[in-house]
Amino acid sequence: MSSFLPYGRQLIEDDDIAAVAEVLRGDWLTTGPSVTRFEEALAARVGAPHAVSCSSATAGLHLACMAAGIGPGDTAVVPAVTFVATANAVRYVGGEVMFADVDPDTGLMRPDDLTRALARAGGAVKAVLPVHMAGQCEDMTAISRITREAGAVLIEDACHALGATAGNAPIGACAQSDMSVFSFHPVKTLAMGEGGAVTTRDPVLAERLARFRSHGLVRDLARMENLGLASAADGSANPWYYEMPEPGFNYRASDIQCALGLSQLGKLDRFVEARRRLADHYEAQLAPLAPMVRPLRRTGFSNPAWHLQVVLIDFQGIGMDRAALMRALHAQGIGSQVHYLPVARQPYYERLYGKPELPGADAYYARCLSLPLFAGMTEAHVERVVATLQKEIEN
């Protein structure tokens, strides 16, 4: 049997390994120069003044919610189709989640979905967290307008979308948002092992993000409250001294992670283009299987950076359930996954909020299946996946 094709995986090359080895031979394993270089390069790449690295995108979402001042009594709107971390980050800071429905053919929250979620929340919403699902972007012009009219903070969950553009702006430039959160998990376009980052145009938010990722500590004398303890006899800052005006977390990324991230960042355009080319080839190869099997509908308001190759399958129509198809594909060396069970259907959230009506999210979930997509694939791999899928469906 041919080699196994997982639904996603990293592409690590010799120069990536050399970059990590150089850090391992150096003086800094964490909180050193590689972190700064990576943050500066990421900010420049996406066109934002500030990038704050962190240990994971989940940490980044948590930091963004903290920086935005979300807390008990506040509500944030989250699309129902996303990974649980988007909603969980709101709960970490004591906020309530209002789930918005999504387009059943894209998995994206539509402007009308957001408007209805805001109405259900009674208009008192602190933040909106749109999700760029599978690497395809939300309609940020409309989402931003509605969010601003509601007086809410806009935090992009861009974990799938590094390298994408919305309108003329790169995702992460925060042209229409307050913060953007990225993931560098191995299945993402850029891999750091684990890792994340938050970008912003706001220096106040950037300072809060950086402070909260490192226990909430400050070392700037101008920010100290106990000046008697903070100052030496000559009025200068005591070099060992720090204060904690409010607690944060240990969410720092290491120099090891950031060295890998910096090396990978130099290949981002190549990786994104490879994924786009493979997604286009999937589109062509899957055409004969329509309407029983078809890719996500492509929108006209973004240039995606495809993270996932999601297909929508009429399982009743093909006479085969999803689990059986996934097992059959796996037996032929092809991995697949489901992205995602609507978060509102998780037991925790059902106990908390009941079972909201989300017809778009439920229809999306009933049909979605993620097929292999990663930069190390070839068009021949795509053809193998589609041919195997067709064979299993027609058997």
Side-chain angles (χ1 to χ4, degrees), residues 67-262:
I70 302 170
D74 293 327
T75 298
V77 174
V78 174
V81 173
T82 183
F83 186 52
V84 293
T86 318
N88 289 353
V90 177
R91 297 294 297 149
Y92 294 161
V93 295
E96 303 297 333
V97 179
M98 177 59 67
F99 288 106
D101 205 5
V102 302
D103 186 324
D105 294 326
T106 66
L108 296 170
M109 178 178 66
R110 298 159 293 192
D112 286 350
D113 297 321
L114 174 56
T115 299
R116 284 191 287 270
L118 290 168
R120 292 199 309 273
V125 169
K126 179 76 171 184
V128 174
L129 287 81
V131 176
H132 302 313
M133 179 65 193
Q136 185 167 226
C137 304
E138 300 269 11
D139 182 350
M140 287 304 296
T141 299
I143 296 295
S144 176
R145 175 181 54 79
I146 296 166
T147 301
R148 299 309 183 199
E149 289 173 354
V153 177
L154 186 55
I155 303 169
E156 295 176 82
D157 183 334
C159 293
H160 292 190
L162 182 63
T165 58
N168 296 321
I171 292 298
C174 301
Q176 297 170 303
S177 67
D178 296 288
M179 290 172 276
S180 297
V181 182
F182 292 107
S183 171
F184 309 125
H185 183 276
V187 297
K188 301 299 196 303
T189 303
L190 185 157
M192 277 174 49
E194 287 282 0
V198 187
T199 61
T200 183
R201 308 193 73 81
D202 186 331
V204 174
L205 289 174
E207 186 278 330
R208 289 173 63 82
L209 290 163
R211 175 156 47 92
F212 287 138
R213 76 165 171 192
S214 189
H215 302 282
L217 304 181
V218 296
R219 298 178 184 275
D220 180 2
L221 186 61
R223 300 181 61 86
M224 299 298 182
E225 298 179 26
N226 297 322
L227 292 179
L229 295 174
S231 304
D234 63 1
S236 64
N238 284 322
W240 69 87
Y241 189 77
Y242 55 81
E243 287 185 355
M244 188 186 74
E246 53 188 320
F249 294 84
N250 183 358
Y251 279 166
R252 297 183 298 263
S254 72
D255 273 50
I256 298 169
Q257 292 169 292
C258 288
L260 177 57
L262 184 60

Side-chain angles (χ1 to χ4, degrees), residues 307-331:
H307 159 52
L308 299 172
Q309 179 58 53
V310 180
V311 292
L312 302 175
I313 301 176
D314 180 353
F315 290 103
Q316 185 174 359
I318 68 172
M320 188 178 197
D321 69 32
R322 183 161 44 196
L325 178 59
M326 292 178 73
R327 286 192 291 266
L329 291 173
H330 191 275

